[in-house]
Amino acid sequence: MAAVPGLQPVLAELDRRYRSLTPRERDVMKLVVAGRLNKQIAAELGTSEITVKVHRAHVMQTMKAGSLAELVRFVERLGPASGADSPTSPTSVAAARQGRSTRGSPT
């Protein structure tokens, strides 16, 4: 498949934004794009729902995502090489439906 002109700088910028997130913000982002509720994320990460909301807001701001749908598209564009799990991978979707994380599960 031929490279789309202008796409590489866009991906580089998304990667730069992603890498500027803290590890905890990355954890929150992965769970958010997998469809988890703030309350579920808080329980899994052992923190308060308010803290999750703060992290989520910072993720949206840092990634420059105007909506959750846009954040999901950004993560899909970043792909697995960035460490951002694709929220639409079969493993992620099944895990979200069952209320569990995909961390440590085989792909």
Side-chain angles (χ1 to χ4, degrees):
M1 178 182 262
V4 177
L7 185 60
Q8 197 59 32
V10 172
L11 289 176
E13 175 60 18
L14 283 176
D15 187 59
R16 185 197 64 74
R17 292 178 199 165
Y18 175 77
R19 292 184 189 283
S20 73
L21 296 172
T22 67
R24 181 61 96 180
E25 289 167 345
R26 291 178 191 180
D27 291 342
V28 168
M29 182 181 78
K30 289 174 188 180
L31 294 169
V32 165
V33 298
R36 304 292 286 283
L37 301 173
N38 291 340
K39 187 174 186 175
Q40 293 170 321
I41 296 168
E44 181 167 332
L45 298 180
T47 190
S48 73
E49 190 172 349
I50 299 273
T51 300
V52 170
K53 289 179 182 180
V54 170
H55 287 313
R56 183 177 178 152
H58 192 250
V59 166
M60 297 294 285
Q61 180 180 22
T62 301
M63 294 300 293
K64 298 185 180 179
S67 67
L68 177 57
E70 190 172 28
L71 184 65
V72 169
R73 283 192 298 273
F74 289 166
V75 171
E76 287 175 341
R77 282 184 177 176
L78 285 169
S82 69
D85 295 337
S86 171
T88 57
S89 72
T91 305
S92 295
V93 171
R97 287 185 183 145
Q98 294 176 3
R100 60 182 172 79
S101 171
T102 58
R103 282 183 277 152
S105 60
T107 54

